[in-house]
Amino acid sequence: MEAQRRLIHQLAREVRHLETAGRRQAGRVVSSGCPAMDRLLASHGYEPGSVVEYLRSGRACGATYFALAAAASAQAARDGYLVIVDRWRRLYPPQLLAHKIDLQRTIWVYPDSDRDAVWALDQALRTAAVSAVVAEVDGLDSRAARRLQLAAETGGGLGLLVRPAEVRRHPSWSEVQWLIRPDPTARGAVGMHRGRRLRAHLLRNRGGRSGAVATLQIDGLSGQIVASDQSATDRGNGNEQTGAVHLAAELARPKDIGRDAAAG
Amino acid sequence: MVVAACNRAARQQGIIAGMRVSEAAATGDVEIREYDPEEDLDRLCELAELAQQFSPLVGLEQLDRCLWAGRGLHRPEALLLDVTGIGPLFGGEAALVRQVGQWLRSQRFYGRMAIAGTVGAAWAVAACSRELEPVTPSHAHPSAGIAAGSPAQESPSGDRPRAVPGTEATGEPANNSMVDSADATQANIAADAAHEHTSQIPPSRFGIVAAGDDAEAVMHLPCHALRISAEQWTALQRLGLHTIASVLALPRSGLATRFGALFLQRLDQATGRLEEPIVTIGGRPDWCLEHALEYPTQDRAIVEESVCRLVEDLGRRLDSRGEGALRITCRLDFAESSPLLLQIGLFRPTHQTKHLQNLIIAQLESHLARQSARAVTRIGLHATLTAALRWKQTLLFDQQAAANRHEVARLIDVLSSRLGRKSVLQARPRREAQPESAFRMRPLTGRRHDGQPQDTVKKLSTRWAAQRAEPSSTDPLRRPTHLLPSPEPIRVAWEGPATAAPPHRFFHQGRWRTVVEAIGPERLESGWWRGPGQRREYYRIVDSHGDWFWIYRDLRTGQWFLHGWFD
């Protein structure tokens, strides 16, 4: 039994090597921005030259936050540039500061059409100096997706695409595909000021096992994405410290209104 | 903070340029937008390029210091055209100036124009004369120029009028006997322009000063028509000198003692005693190349080949001077229609021929593909902004960083060339409470980078950036990931009577969403000095599906808006 498992593991590794042989450089893997998510991935992070898709279940479910966390991690790891391809001109630049992204090394591209957006993505992914490209892409046909994947392999950066959940049934060329959803059990368990609890469902994991689900929390104080349990422990300590030191800041912080309290 | 410019509707409410913004805001319901001097100047330069269809010599007025023209002039607002000997080609000077007026209208500008023997006289008449004649449609000749892109679309102020440039055009007096006179061969056309919808733009106005009548034409004009400083103008008012005629009646020696040599120079320029050259926007003639085709052609291959040769020539010239181009303008003149203007911006100065060729040809192809075939007669290439090439010795182990910079510069150039300079940007945070003003986007190409800031400045700016950071890294969920360019009004409902508390439900994207939790209010108010104050109470809310939104209540109207969401 053990020998069989070892054989499967070895074969999986060989398949992964064959699949990723086209990559120009086999550099260090880049963290997804969350250790708990990294542990679910075949390489414990994103391979350079990968396309990663974050599918969102709703308009405001937190998928972009995950993409920005990975982009920050890639920018720090490779000391390169970040390109944001924003078709609808809605991404809010100051939010990138919360992820400690260097705005001096961030290029914003506002294309006027889907065609221009795919072209800009392709150009940016082909550039070796670009660590990551973040884009919201709704419609992407198979050819365009393959083109982006080849571009990422050429440049060695990360393509981080935020897409609607409806495309999960479509064929994909991405290495990793996550479905981000709010955690249905979070209601009432976590106050808004303490953070946001989400579920990341690993739909596609090239060279590794898919199907895993991670319950995660965006910490309200640090902004880090942590496993939900760990978050509770860590933040428990953090709260005591914050309460003791930053009294003035707490007064300036907007208060938390429960739905019932507000109604009353 | 003062008003830089205003439209007609604002002027009717009593708002004038130079007024404090807070005073202007108090006059009623006004919309105030931030003035972008760089964009203003860019647009004026673009107009100057296109105006070359009327004259080969086009320039901007020079402002050595802040001048007083009834208001402070901080930037060039006038176009100067040398139209010496050009009038007959258009059927006379009056026909020429009418064509210019129609062209300005097609560009969504209102112009005040004058033709005179000197730059000073034309400027004075265009800016201050009350006897200008309107360019009526019945007078007008077919529009001479259609530009690529309209100012109202490009301007951040949208289609709201914005005072920009006055201009002047000079022309040669019609009288041939004056042509030999060096002083009389110069004249200007001036046009005070404002963006408006074409249908709402009043016809431009013009005046033509007869040959040799420059001094007489400016006599009755107010003293600020002389383009003097505010201090000099105040001193003249104190002495009771209100018109140029009253100044000319005084002895020159006394004027020089009291007001200085520059004042006399301005006086002489207005009356035609002193020549004033027009400084063309073209800058150094070495960077202006032109190729006239032997016969008009629609053959794209020939046009592209000609452009490539001009780029090669320009590259050689830049190389020999150790300079690189930051902005290049390529103009195609057609046999029977207005010229096509291509603007190429670069992130770093370059003289690499291949790179420049690729950028220009890519943009040329996309433009020609969108238009019907037209016969090209002449091609012009002009490096409008250049900078010295910087050679910096790289560290032994820093080669990767240098290669990165080079690659990113190439990427930015390619993206800007196809998508446009204003679509490839860099974001800068600003210390503003109003979320939509908390950042500013700036084009990455076509700007001169003057090296690294000094260490002290760098440190200070870093500290400032950290202070300005909103949201700070210690409060990451305070601001949304997505912000709507303009807040979207939403319908809201409460289970009981309406209160100031966040609603129980709101209507968005075709369905009612139930609010299960809310944080707030966070009150954000814009500074009173920025005009009509924005007073908002923001709430972060979660709906029953777990989606997070950012909504606010306008404290002035009580209406609710969706402003962003946390994706």
Side-chain angles (χ1 to χ4, degrees):
Chain A
M1 194 67 180
E2 183 60 30
Q4 197 175 11
R5 196 188 305 161
R6 264 209 306 274
L7 180 65
I8 289 171
H9 188 69
Q10 187 189 340
L11 286 172
R13 203 169 50 192
E14 283 178 14
V15 167
R16 196 163 65 241
H17 283 165
L18 284 173
E19 284 179 336
T20 57
R23 285 190 186 138
R24 200 178 73 167
Q25 55 188 42
R28 226 162 32 137
V29 294
V30 176
S31 168
S32 64
C34 167
M37 289 167 80
D38 289 342
R39 282 194 289 275
L40 300 178
L41 297 169
S43 312
H44 296 286
Y46 299 139
E47 294 269 8
S50 303
V51 173
V52 181
E53 288 181 326
Y54 295 91
L55 310 188
R56 56 176 170 216
S57 58
R59 192 181 194 184
C61 68
T64 303
Y65 195 94
F66 282 77
L68 290 177
S73 168
Q75 194 185 48
R78 289 187 57 194
D79 198 23
Y81 287 76
L82 170 64
V83 177
I84 309 269
V85 181
D86 191 1
R87 169 81 174 85
W88 308 110
R89 305 185 181 206
R90 285 174 178 170
L91 205 59
Y92 190 44
Q95 176 62 34
L96 271 67
L97 295 169
H99 293 271
K100 296 176 184 168
I101 288 173
D102 182 2
L103 288 184
Q104 293 275 356
R105 287 189 295 144
T106 302
I107 301 162
W108 295 77
V109 184
Y110 289 157
D112 288 329
S113 66
D114 289 339
R115 197 171 145 225
D116 281 346
V118 171
W119 175 82
L121 263 169
D122 179 78
Q123 293 292 320
L125 284 170
R126 281 180 194 282
T127 307
V130 173
S131 304
V133 186
V134 177
E136 285 182 47
V137 188
D138 288 353
L140 190 69
D141 62 37
S142 182
R143 274 179 61 190
R146 174 66 174 152
R147 185 175 142 198
L148 295 185
Q149 197 244 337
L150 290 174
E153 285 182 5
T154 308
L158 285 184
L160 304 165
L161 309 182
V162 180
R163 309 191 65 195
E166 292 75 44
V167 305
R168 64 183 291 188
R169 307 268 175 234
H170 298 183
S172 170
W173 286 99
S174 61
E175 266 76 9
V176 179
Q177 192 178 60
W178 296 97
L179 174 66
I180 309 295
R181 285 183 296 188
D183 181 11
T185 63
R187 188 177 167 183
V190 184
M192 278 182 82
H193 68 286
R194 296 172 68 191
R196 187 175 186 186
R197 199 184 279 182
L198 301 163
R199 280 190 178 180
H201 187 171
L202 186 57
L203 298 178
R204 184 179 169 85
N205 180 18
R206 183 173 285 183
R209 191 176 297 173
S210 56
V213 179
T215 304
L216 306 166
Q217 184 166 327
I218 302 171
D219 191 282
L221 295 175
S222 67
Q224 288 179 344
I225 306 168
V226 291
S228 189
D229 298 339
Q230 184 191 342
S231 158
T233 322
D234 290 348
R235 229 178 2 74
N237 299 333
N239 269 348
E240 287 164 18
Q241 290 171 9
T242 309
V245 179
H246 297 298
L247 186 57
E250 284 297 307
L251 287 173
R253 191 180 296 279
K255 63 181 178 179
D256 182 19
I257 298 182
R259 179 59 273 152
D260 298 333
Chain B
M1 196 175 291
V2 295
V3 175
C6 54
N7 66 356
R8 265 193 308 160
R11 282 198 292 273
Q12 281 164 6
Q13 286 192 32
I15 297 171
I16 53 168
M19 181 187 257
R20 288 183 187 281
V21 170
S22 51
E23 286 176 40
T27 60
D29 186 21
V30 292
E31 187 177 337
I32 294 173
R33 299 194 186 183
E34 192 164 350
Y35 172 61
D36 185 346
E38 276 184 32
E39 188 177 356
D40 214 10
L41 193 59
D42 278 358
R43 183 67 184 123
L44 188 61
C45 289
E46 201 178 308
L47 272 184
E49 285 286 343
L50 290 166
Q52 288 184 20
Q53 61 191 297
F54 301 108
S55 163
L57 196 65
V58 181
L60 304 183
E61 66 174 322
Q62 286 182 298
L63 297 181
D64 304 325
R65 62 195 68 185
C66 177
L67 299 180
W68 187 255
R71 62 194 171 84
L73 293 182
H74 300 273
R75 288 190 171 252
E77 295 187 358
L79 284 184
L80 306 172
L81 279 74
D82 187 346
V83 292
T84 308
I86 287 174
L89 301 176
F90 290 82
E93 286 182 344
L96 166 64
V97 79
R98 283 183 184 123
Q99 282 201 29
V100 175
Q102 284 298 301
W103 167 73
L104 280 174
R105 194 179 166 86
S106 74
Q107 298 288 316
R108 300 185 179 185
F109 280 96
Y110 161 70
R112 289 175 65 90
M113 304 173 285
I115 294 187
T118 65
V119 171
W123 195 97
V125 172
C128 303
S129 175
R130 292 168 183 267
E131 296 160 8
L132 298 182
E133 191 182 334
V135 179
T136 52
S138 56
H139 284 148
H141 288 242
S143 174
I146 306 294
S150 71
Q153 287 165 347
E154 293 178 0
S155 158
S157 54
D159 53 8
R160 297 281 296 185
R162 188 160 65 99
V164 210
T167 357
E168 287 209 13
T170 340
E172 157 225 26
N175 188 341
N176 283 338
S177 62
M178 297 298 293
V179 175
D180 295 331
S181 159
D183 286 347
T185 49
Q186 297 226 342
N188 321 320
I189 301 176
D192 188 0
H195 297 207
E196 301 213 22
H197 283 302
T198 309
S199 58
Q200 296 171 345
I201 300 170
S204 296
R205 303 182 84 85
F206 72 95
I208 297 178
V209 179
D213 288 350
D214 295 330
E216 200 173 317
V218 300
M219 282 288 188
H220 64 284
L221 297 178
C223 290
H224 61 71
L226 288 172
R227 297 177 291 165
I228 50 180
S229 68
E231 293 78 24
Q232 288 170 340
W233 182 74
T234 314
L236 287 170
Q237 295 294 303
R238 207 177 295 138
L239 292 172
L241 301 170
H242 298 293
T243 62
I244 295 175
S246 58
V247 176
L248 285 171
L250 297 174
R252 279 176 72 86
S253 55
L255 288 175
T257 316
R258 184 175 281 270
F259 297 109
L262 183 65
F263 181 80
L264 282 183
Q265 187 185 327
R266 289 299 196 198
L267 201 59
D268 291 345
Q269 284 171 344
T271 52
R273 284 188 188 177
L274 193 64
E275 186 182 357
E276 183 179 352
I278 293 177
V279 180
T280 59
I281 55 157
R284 291 156 65 170
D286 283 6
W287 308 146
C288 300
L289 304 170
E290 230 176 47
H291 177 57
L293 298 169
E294 285 181 14
Y295 55 90
T297 180
Q298 295 182 0
D299 191 331
R300 204 176 288 182
I302 294 176
V303 174
E304 288 181 5
E305 178 60 28
S306 303
V307 170
C308 287
R309 281 191 193 169
L310 286 176
V311 174
E312 274 175 26
D313 196 0
L314 180 67
R316 272 197 298 273
R317 291 180 186 207
L318 288 166
D319 189 21
S320 65
R321 301 282 179 86
E323 293 203 22
L326 275 169
R327 265 193 222 182
I328 294 179
T329 302
C330 178
R331 200 174 93 245
L332 265 63
D333 290 338
F334 297 100
E336 291 174 347
S337 55
S338 57
L340 171 67
L341 203 65
L342 306 176
Q343 302 269 11
I344 314 291
L346 292 120
F347 182 57
R348 288 185 192 283
T350 183
H351 64 267
Q352 291 176 1
T353 309
K354 195 74 193 161
H355 183 49
L356 293 175
Q357 281 174 347
N358 287 341
L359 296 176
I360 295 175
I361 294 299
Q363 205 178 106
L364 184 65
E365 278 176 353
S366 70
H367 269 89
L368 292 181
R370 287 201 298 265
Q371 297 175 350
S372 56
R374 292 184 288 172
V376 179
T377 56
R378 184 192 295 266
I379 299 162
L381 194 71
H382 179 191
T384 51
L385 185 65
T386 62
L389 291 169
R390 286 172 178 273
W391 297 103
K392 194 176 166 185
Q393 189 171 356
T394 52
L395 299 172
L396 182 60
F397 300 104
D398 193 29
Q399 286 177 353
Q400 186 57 43
N404 278 0
R405 280 198 298 272
H406 181 72
E407 281 212 38
V408 162
R410 189 203 63 81
L411 172 69
I412 291 170
D413 290 347
V414 169
L415 292 173
S416 298
S417 174
R418 171 157 163 174
L419 305 176
R421 182 171 170 254
K422 289 171 186 169
S423 295
V424 184
L425 309 161
Q426 186 177 48
R428 288 193 170 190
R430 303 171 73 199
R431 189 173 188 170
E432 291 289 343
Q434 209 169 319
E436 52 268 49
S437 306
F439 64 97
R440 185 168 188 176
M441 307 301 281
R442 293 181 60 189
L444 277 162
T445 56
R447 286 192 294 123
R448 194 174 268 155
H449 302 263
D450 292 319
Q452 291 286 320
Q454 286 181 15
D455 281 349
T456 319
V457 180
K458 206 171 172 182
K459 279 176 200 161
L460 277 174
S461 59
T462 311
R463 197 180 306 159
W464 265 67
Q467 282 178 358
R468 287 171 186 175
E470 187 70 63
S472 67
S473 54
T474 55
D475 195 1
L477 296 177
R478 193 165 177 177
R479 289 287 176 272
T481 53
H482 293 71
L483 191 82
L484 289 167
S486 38
E488 208 176 274
I490 47 171
R491 285 155 61 194
V492 293
W494 287 264
E495 280 170 8
T499 64
H504 290 98
R505 291 185 302 148
F506 70 101
F507 193 79
H508 178 55
Q509 287 193 322
R511 65 187 170 103
W512 284 95
R513 292 172 183 264
T514 306
V515 178
V516 294
E517 201 177 348
I519 292 185
E522 180 183 8
R523 185 170 289 187
L524 296 179
E525 297 186 0
S526 61
W528 55 268
W529 58 92
R530 287 203 168 275
Q534 295 287 346
R535 297 176 63 226
R536 302 168 177 173
E537 277 188 350
Y538 279 89
Y539 292 88
R540 285 177 272 170
I541 58 169
V542 190
D543 75 356
S544 53
H545 294 90
D547 286 346
W548 285 36
F549 294 93
W550 207 38
I551 63 170
Y552 75 84
R553 187 167 68 95
D554 190 326
L555 292 176
R556 295 181 305 168
T557 62
Q559 196 174 0
W560 288 85
F561 292 86
L562 173 72
H563 204 179
W565 56 88
F566 301 76
D567 182 34

